[in-house]
Structure formats: C-alpha cells, structure tokens
Amino acid sequence: MTADAAEAASASATERGRARRLVAAVALVWAAFQLWFSSPLPFLVSELLGFSFGIFNNTEARSIHLAFAVFLAFVVFPARRRARAERVPLPDWALAFVAAGAAAYLFLFYEHLALRAGNANTVDVTVAIIGIVALLEATRRALGPPLTVVASLFLAYTLLGQWMPDVIAHKGQSLTKVAQHQWLTTEGVFGIALGVSTDFVFLFVLFGALLECAGAGNYFIRLAFAGLGHLRGGPAKASVVASAATGVISGSSIANVATTGVFTIPLMKKVGFPATKAGAVEVASSTNGQLTPPVMGAAAFLMIEYVGISYIEVIKHAMLPALISYLALVYIVHLEACKANMARLAPAARSSLARRLAAFAFVVLALCVIGAGVYYGTAAIQTAFGAAAPYVLALLLVGAYLGLLSWATRVPELPQAQEMDTLPRFGETAQAGLHYVLPIAVLMWCLVVERFSPGLAAFWATVCLVFIVLTERPLLAFLRQRATGADALWKEFRRGFGDLVRGLIAGARNMIGIGVATATAGVVVGTITLTGIGQVMVEFVELISGGHLLPALLFTAMICIVLGMGLPTTANYIVVSSLMAPVVVALGAANGLVVPLVAIHMFVFYFGILADDTPPVGLAAFAAAAISGADPIRTGVQGFVYDIRTAVLPFMFIFNTQLLLIGIGSAAEFALVVASAVCAMLMFAAATQGYWLVKSRWWETAALLLVAFSLFRPGFWWDQVYPRYDTSAPQALAQAAEKLASGELLRLRVRGETIDGKERTTTVALPLAAVASGDGGERLQAAGLTVRNEGERVVIDNLLFGTPAERLRQDFGVDFGWEILAVETPAKRPAKQWVYLPALALLGLVAWAQLRRRRKSTLAAA
C-alpha cells in the first residue's frame, strides 16, 4: 500500500469511527428522551423548580420521536440496499438533518401552529411536503419499497380522487389540504399509530434489548433445553418453548429466528430433523413469539388505542390462543419425532417419574406461596407505610435481587447457549438466572396489580433492569470471589455500564423501522379520514362477499398475508385494521352476529404475523433457511403447514369469542373452555399431520377435524337445533334490561340512515352493568342509552359520550334517531357444552381403531 493509499484508508476509518460515534450518541439521546418522557421525573422536577421543565404534550413528543427516527434512518441505512459505503455520504447527512427538521417542526413551532390551526401558511405547507417526501424515502431505506409504495398510492388516491373509477371516486383534495392534513394535524403522520410508538412501544423494545444484553435470552434458551431437551424430538420442543420465552424479549419473529435459531436448528438436525423441517419448526415457533403475552408485537399496543381497551385486556384476550397454539406446536413436533422414530438426547441426570412429578408439584406450590406472600405482603406494607411504601418495596426488591444473586453463585455460571455440548441440569440452570425474572415480575405487577399505563409500567421495569445490568457483573464477581479489590470491581462495573450503553443503543436502533413504519402507516389512516374510503370499502367487500361474513373474513386474511409479504407487522396491522375492521363488524352485525371489535383486531394481528412465514416472501423463513442450509421457499411452505393451526384460530374466535375469554361466567366454565380448546387444537394438529397414535386413515383424519371443530364451536350444532335468541317488541326494552345479569349484552335490532344517506338494518350489543335498584330503565341510563316513543315506534334519543352506548356509534355507525325494531335476549336452551359428549365419543372410536392397529403392528414385529 502506498503512503497516499494508507493515509486515505486511515482518514476513511477515522471518518467511519466518527459517524458510528455520532449515530451511537443520537441513539443514546433518543433512548434517554423516551425514558424521560415516560417517567414521572418531568413533573417531579417541575414541582421542585416551581416552573414547567421538560414536560412535553403528546404532539410534541411524537414530533421529537419521529425526528430521531428519520435522522437515524438516513444515516444508518444507505440509499441503495447493496451499497456498502465506507462512510456516510454528505447528501445523506443533509437529508437526515432536513428530515429531522421537518419532523421537529411541530415541536419547534407548536404555539404558532396552534394559533393558525386550519390556516397553514406557505412555510407550513412547504415543510409538510418536504417532510412527507423525506419520510417516504426514510421508510424505503429502512423497510424496503412495499410500505412506501402503499403510502404513495394512498396519497395519489387522495389527490386524484375525481379521476378514479366510479366505485372509489371522490371529489379529490388539493396539495395544500393533503399536506396540512397529513403533517400538521394528528389525523395523519402524527396520529394514533405514531403516538403508540412514542408512548409504549419504544419502552418495551428497549426493555427487550436490555434483557438480551443482561443475558436473559441465553438463560431462557438453556432453561428450555434443560427441561425438554431429553424428550423425543427434545431440541425442537425446546425451540418452541425458547421462542415463546424470547418473544418476551424481542416481540419480533425474525429476531426470534436469529436469536434462538443459530443454536436450535443445528441441534434439531443432530437428532434427525431434516433441514427443511428444522428451519420450519423454528419459523413457526418464532412467528408465534409475537403472539405471546406479556410483551407481544408492537401492533398489540396499537390495539389499546384502536379498540379502546387496556393493555391488561389485550393480554387477557391473547392468552388462551397463544397458549393452545404453542401447545399444539409442541405436539406437532412430538408427532414428527414419533413418525421418524427419532432418538432422544441423553439427560444430564436421570431421575424417576415420581421424583420429577414431586419436584414439579413442589415448584408450583412454592410459586403459589411466594405469589400470595408478595401480593398480601405488599398490600400490608402499603397500608402500614403509606407514602413511604414505594421506598420500602424498592428496598425489599433489592434484597430479593441480592438473595437470588447469592443463590446463583452456588452453581456454575451459565455459558453461552452456542457453547452447549450436553444438556444442562434443569435445577442448576434455573437457579443461575432467576434474577432475570425480577424485571418481568415488576412489569406484570405494575400492569396487573397497580394498573399503571403500559408506558409507565415499562419504565419501572426498565429501571429495575438498568439496575441489574449495572450491578450484576461486579456483584457476581465479588460473590464468586473473582474480584475483591476496588480496581477489579470497578472494571466489572465498567463492563456492566458498557452492556447498558449497548442495550440502549440497540433498543433505539431496533426502533428506527418501527418509528418510520408507524408514521408512514399514518398516511393511510389520514387518507381514510380525509376521503371516506372506509365506507367505500364496506360497500365493496359487502358486494364481493355477497353480504356474508365468512367470505369477508377470508378476503381480510388474504389482504393481510399479501400486504405482510412486504409490510412489517405493525404497518400491516394499521392498514388492514383501519380498512377492514369496520367492514367485518358491519357485515357481522347485518347477519345478526355481533363481533367484538377486539376479535377482528386480533384476527388482523394474527394474519399479519403469519405473513412472516408465507411464501414467496416470508422473511422469517429466509432467516431460518440461511441457518439450516435448506431452500427458503420449501422452509416457508413447511412452516406455513405447521402454522395452519394458528391460521384456523382467528376464524374460531370470531365465531366463539369465549376463546378470547369473553363472556365466561364462572370458574367451571373457564376450566371447560380451556380444556376443550386445548383438546381441539391438539386434535387439529394430529389431523393436519396425518398421524395420532399411528398413521391416520382418511376417515380418521376427517373424524379428528370434526371433533376439533365441535370442541372449538359447540354452538354451531346447537344453533341448528335451538334458536339462540328470543325476540320481543322494542317496548319491552326496559324489562329485558332488568332480567340480564351484570356484564351481559343487550342485543338490539335497529334501523336507520347512515352518514351517506343509505338506510341500514343491523344488530348491535350493549353491555349492561349492575345498578343499586336493578331497575331496567336505570341500567339503560347507566349504559348511556336513552330512548323515546314516537307512537308505536321506539327511537334512540341519545348515546351519551363516555359511556358504553357511545361504542354503538363508533363500532356500528348507530346514532340518535335510529329506530329499535326488536330486542333479543338469550333463549333458554340446554348448555352448548353437551355437544362435547358425542365429539368425545367419536374421538374414543378413533383412539380405539388406532390402538388396535398399533397392537397388531407390535405383535407382527415381535
């Protein structure tokens, strides 16, 4: 190398180093801002200072959030995907600052914009146009062309509406109006989606990145293998459980594959899984990681705003589908292992079945005792210490952390998962990392018990995790007597601080794509609010589906999968739920089926995630194939075959909302719903695999599918025999309301004129709460519904704001002046669970036939 070349290379390296340091610094500042915004610190500091300091409203915070995201998008992602620039080009720096300035414009000139709301000047419009163009380019760089193309098409539709086909035509909007609506209000880019990204998602992504840096990912993987690795097909079963656990950390299917797949896929191949099936198992388990509470994909947080429920409700509705989906995948792996007669890995230590059951029972009992002690002990401390209780609880939490660390030093340290040559001992593995559970426990405590907002709960969990990351290394070094001097402990503390910085930077970098995706998806939402295309979609889908719900659901699922081939899950969810959720709700109501809004949003959420393993563009399948060495298309096809069980679930819970834990009245009913759902999913898995106790014959496969359907939807058969509802005149409205139990739905058949002047007849459901007197009229007033009599007609007089009745307007388009045609109350009929008896009898017949064949084959082999 010549002197000039060496000097040039040195200068390039220096420039690259400066660029990396600047990017890292910006990412750190972004993480610090998000922690500050989500914490109570701004209010405490302002109270101490006597004036407002560092308090941002929602619009200002969204503006700053997007400014960081687009700045990092331009300096982290090159203009061309294949370009490997030695340095960040000057045009990229210029675009980064211009885009960040346009995004921060709402924060910098917030008061001026508020004073001239709806009357934007030339500078406002110019900045808005520059901002939209820059956002689209940032999205193209960070996520590829698909989302950019979708947003551009919606913008073109907004501007060129008068030249569109008659079925979707509108009067069109001026460039000034579009720019103002999309950029200078909270109806477009800076709307709900970006608000959720700012308020909730960043903290949860940061929480996951810090957990990974602390070593929790490695701990969960090793724990799964210690518990399941010795079973037949154990590495694949452990892969499923590890992916469920790492779903708590990443909430991303592709990240799950990259995290767990590098270890699980080679081990699956070692015990006999073909490369295609090994990759497919990892893909199927990783895509389901986004469905796993408590930290699901970013789209789950959007449900809070779009559906109007708390995050606890989202977790509750997602819990049973995620559980049975993962159990079925474990069972599929077991069936694959049985079909191939795979060998087992030798366990680290052998013990009898009775001893393992006793140990399991002891652990469950211990967890129950500890949980009860923590719950009632915390309540007692809060009562005894009042305002000082948080400090006492913090000291107890630190004490528990120190105790768990001390206990962890009694067993060997956890090596990295990739270094595992033999299966680890379960007890030692669990003992070595129990302190990683503390931040997750804090998160769940704040969400479930204290009922904090998701952002505040994630903040306190992150604070707990930051403390662990900073102190774990020096404390373990001291307790294991690896380091006793001040210099050695300081060195370990610096390593922990380095882990913290890397975790903060990783969390911010992981948020770049989500930040620009939610902002760009806001363009689609803005188009819907500006043009009224939502109502057009209702008519269009109603036309192609013939007014029936099932074809509309199939059409929605197809849209989700097609869009998901190019759009990230979050953007896919925003686009499809904004367009299709009102359509499905309206079609269901027109057919007499009241579909809860959360059910259709969960439907869209599920199919958006399934796009990650759907050929030809299943990104998770490509990631797994790169590790397994198999063909990515075949891996995706096999992964989707495994994921058929997950694809069926959304259709089931649309028609049987008890699967979402909606409408369950007692503990016995809850137990029956869970047991039947688990059994149904296992039988469905066996049917799709063509193998249960032995290889299934065609009629056995059909019988298993019939059993699964009957257990999932027992009401279907009952509805063919008994009427589901009794119908009474609208004048009996108060009497019907009086008879219903608290929380039950009052169903009304109503007719009225929509906002576009068309008459529509539909069915709506109003939840009723208990009142002191139990009077039906008072219950209706408490629910926010008032009616008036116009001769023989009963008409809705008002739907009060902030009451359950307001949802009738938001979800079904009902408004005052609509006529109530009839009142529907649940008919008295035998419990639908009686259908389980013939279904289980059919299952017994299949079991008898297969056991008989298995005995014959065993005798023949002997």
Side-chain angles (χ1 to χ4, degrees):
M1 183 181 289
T2 64
D4 290 342
E7 183 177 351
S10 176
S12 179
T14 301
E15 190 168 352
R16 287 200 308 273
R18 289 173 180 170
R20 282 197 297 267
R21 287 194 292 271
L22 179 58
V23 169
V26 173
L28 275 175
V29 174
W30 190 12
F33 165 75
Q34 294 291 159
L35 286 169
W36 173 267
F37 174 69
S38 300
S39 74
L41 291 176
F43 303 98
L44 295 175
V45 172
S46 298
E47 186 176 349
L48 288 174
L49 295 176
F51 59 88
S52 177
F53 176 80
I55 297 178
F56 304 97
N57 63 35
N58 288 333
T59 303
E60 292 173 324
R62 294 174 190 179
S63 174
I64 297 171
H65 179 84
L66 183 58
F68 278 113
V70 292
F71 181 89
L72 289 173
F74 278 107
V75 297
V76 170
F77 301 101
R80 290 179 298 161
R81 279 298 182 96
R82 296 183 179 179
R84 296 188 177 275
E86 294 296 315
R87 57 189 178 85
V88 180
L90 284 177
D92 285 358
W93 286 113
L95 285 171
F97 281 105
V98 169
Y105 188 74
L106 272 72
F107 165 68
L108 297 173
F109 300 97
Y110 180 78
E111 292 185 3
H112 298 282
L113 291 170
L115 290 174
R116 56 174 182 268
N119 188 28
N121 59 30
T122 304
V123 175
D124 296 339
V125 174
T126 303
V127 170
I129 295 172
I130 292 172
I132 292 172
V133 173
L135 174 62
L136 293 176
E137 170 60 13
T139 305
R140 185 194 67 81
R141 293 184 178 213
L143 302 169
L147 180 56
T148 305
V149 171
V150 170
S152 300
L153 289 175
F154 273 86
L155 284 173
Y157 171 75
T158 310
L159 293 167
L160 308 175
Q162 61 268 43
W163 290 292
M164 292 292 163
D166 290 342
V167 68
I168 59 171
H170 63 94
K171 66 178 182 179
Q173 300 290 342
S174 67
L175 181 62
T176 299
K177 176 67 175 177
V178 172
Q180 181 175 337
H181 184 81
Q182 295 284 7
W183 198 262
L184 301 177
T185 71
T186 56
E187 296 292 329
V189 170
F190 295 94
I192 289 175
L194 186 62
V196 171
S197 177
T198 307
D199 296 341
F200 307 147
V201 178
F202 193 104
L203 265 293
F204 280 89
V205 170
L206 184 63
F207 179 74
L210 289 173
L211 264 179
E212 182 63 36
C213 285
N218 177 50
Y219 171 68
F220 290 138
I221 292 172
R222 293 186 68 85
L223 192 62
F225 272 83
L228 299 173
H230 65 284
L231 302 175
R232 177 172 287 180
K237 294 174 182 175
S239 169
V240 175
V241 176
S243 293
T246 52
V248 173
I249 296 174
S250 67
S252 165
S253 54
I254 300 169
N256 271 6
V257 171
T259 302
T260 60
V262 291
F263 174 62
T264 59
I265 291 175
L267 270 180
M268 281 188 271
K269 292 170 67 177
K270 180 179 177 180
V271 297
F273 276 88
T276 299
K277 289 189 175 181
V281 169
E282 180 59 42
V283 168
S285 55
S286 294
T287 51
N288 281 206
Q290 281 187 275
L291 307 173
T292 308
V295 183
M296 301 153 70
F301 298 98
L302 291 162
M303 262 187 245
I304 300 171
E305 299 296 331
Y306 286 146
V307 183
I309 58 178
S310 68
Y311 191 57
I312 294 301
E313 290 293 308
V314 174
I315 291 175
K316 184 188 83 172
H317 297 317
M319 186 65 71
L320 182 57
L323 172 66
I324 61 177
S325 183
Y326 265 114
L327 286 177
L329 185 55
V330 172
Y331 191 56
I332 287 173
V333 168
H334 175 73
L335 295 176
E336 289 280 17
C338 291
K339 285 191 288 186
N341 197 24
M342 293 181 185
R344 305 168 187 261
L345 293 179
R350 296 187 180 275
S351 61
S352 65
L353 177 62
R355 188 170 181 178
R356 291 199 298 269
L357 290 176
F360 177 77
F362 174 78
V363 170
V364 172
L365 179 62
L367 288 175
C368 292
V369 171
I370 292 171
V374 170
Y375 181 82
Y376 292 107
T378 301
I381 290 172
Q382 289 174 331
T383 302
F385 291 92
Y391 304 103
V392 176
L393 292 173
L395 288 175
L396 290 175
L397 185 63
V398 171
Y401 167 59
L402 294 176
L404 290 174
L405 274 187
S406 178
W407 195 37
T409 58
R410 300 180 186 179
V411 296
E413 287 189 271
L414 291 176
Q416 287 299 310
Q418 290 81 353
E419 301 170 9
M420 191 191 308
D421 296 321
T422 59
L423 291 179
R425 296 174 182 271
F426 183 80
E428 291 182 354
T429 304
Q431 185 175 338
L434 273 179
H435 55 281
Y436 294 130
V437 179
L438 287 177
I440 300 173
V442 170
L443 175 65
M444 294 308 299
W445 179 270
C446 292
L447 283 172
V448 177
V449 180
E450 300 296 339
R451 295 300 179 103
F452 290 164
S453 69
L456 187 58
F459 169 76
W460 287 117
T462 304
V463 168
C464 175
L465 189 51
V466 167
F467 180 76
I468 290 175
V469 172
L470 285 175
T471 60
E472 180 187 15
R473 286 185 181 274
L475 286 174
L476 283 177
F478 176 77
L479 292 170
R480 292 184 183 275
Q481 298 184 343
R482 287 200 315 262
T484 54
D487 291 341
L489 291 174
W490 175 247
K491 182 179 179 180
E492 294 293 335
F493 178 80
R494 290 178 61 186
R495 291 180 64 192
F497 184 77
D499 290 339
L500 173 62
V501 171
R502 282 191 294 274
L504 292 172
I505 294 172
R509 288 179 69 101
N510 292 343
M511 273 301 301
I512 297 172
I514 297 175
V516 297
T518 51
T520 306
V523 171
V524 176
V525 178
T527 299
I528 294 171
T529 59
L530 191 58
T531 63
I533 190 177
Q535 184 59 38
V536 174
M537 285 298 298
V538 173
E539 297 173 1
F540 177 71
V541 175
E542 190 170 7
L543 175 66
I544 64 173
S545 66
H548 298 293
L549 181 59
L550 187 57
L553 290 173
L554 291 170
F555 184 69
T556 303
M558 182 180 67
I559 291 176
C560 287
I561 290 177
V562 171
L563 288 180
M565 292 179 183
L567 271 62
T569 304
T570 306
N572 189 3
Y573 168 77
I574 296 169
V575 172
V576 182
S577 64
S578 299
L579 287 171
M580 298 303 299
V583 177
V584 175
V585 169
L587 283 180
N591 285 274
L593 178 67
V594 179
V595 181
L597 193 57
V598 67
I600 186 57
H601 278 261
M602 289 288 290
F603 183 96
V604 173
F605 182 45
Y606 265 62
F607 277 101
I609 289 169
L610 285 176
D612 281 347
D613 69 358
T614 304
V617 192
L619 299 181
F622 276 84
I627 300 170
S628 68
D631 177 74
I633 300 298
R634 292 180 62 191
T635 301
V637 170
Q638 185 65 56
F640 188 75
V641 169
Y642 289 154
D643 261 342
I644 288 176
R645 75 202 192 287
T646 308
V648 165
L649 263 179
F651 289 95
M652 293 298 104
F653 62 58
I654 286 289
F655 293 98
N656 180 13
T657 55
Q658 285 189 325
L659 294 173
L660 297 177
L661 304 185
I662 297 174
I664 296 178
S666 65
E669 189 176 11
F670 169 79
L672 196 57
V673 168
V674 172
S676 62
V678 169
C679 183
M681 185 54 80
L682 295 183
M683 292 306 99
F684 182 82
T688 55
Q689 290 301 302
Y691 189 99
W692 186 27
L693 305 176
V694 292
K695 185 177 180 180
S696 299
R697 293 173 177 168
W698 71 266
W699 71 268
E700 293 171 338
T701 296
L704 290 176
L705 289 173
L706 182 59
V707 169
F709 178 79
S710 299
L711 294 178
F712 269 136
R713 279 204 64 198
F716 174 82
W717 304 111
W718 237 224
D719 291 344
Q720 312 306 313
V721 180
Y722 302 100
R724 191 172 182 182
Y725 299 101
D726 291 330
T727 302
S728 54
Q731 288 77 11
L733 179 62
Q735 294 89 325
E738 188 172 330
K739 293 177 182 178
L740 291 176
S742 178
E744 279 196 298
L745 298 176
L746 176 65
R747 292 170 55 93
L748 306 173
R749 192 73 177 164
V750 296
R751 178 176 61 201
E753 192 175 276
T754 61
I755 57 174
D756 57 350
K758 296 181 179 179
E759 188 173 274
R760 183 159 65 95
T761 301
T762 189
T763 302
V764 298
L766 179 66
L768 296 177
V771 294
S773 67
D775 178 72
E778 291 186 15
R779 295 187 72 184
L780 290 173
Q781 288 183 352
L785 174 66
T786 58
V787 298
R788 67 177 186 272
N789 294 321
E790 295 183 353
E792 295 184 357
R793 300 170 67 240
V794 177
V795 177
I796 296 175
D797 189 46
N798 201 2
L799 303 171
L800 297 180
F801 178 78
T803 65
E806 186 191 7
R807 303 296 307 186
L808 302 184
R809 180 186 293 115
Q810 296 175 357
D811 299 345
F812 303 99
V814 175
D815 214 331
F816 61 88
W818 281 48
E819 181 185 359
I820 299 177
L821 301 176
V823 180
E824 297 179 352
T825 54
K828 292 184 178 181
R829 60 180 188 173
K832 62 182 180 181
Q833 285 77 11
W834 285 107
V835 173
Y836 294 162
L837 294 181
L840 294 176
L842 180 59
L843 182 61
L845 175 63
V846 175
W848 174 79
Q850 294 203 352
L851 285 172
R852 186 181 178 190
R853 288 207 308 277
R854 190 166 73 176
R855 281 195 297 269
K856 286 183 178 180
S857 62
T858 303
L859 291 174

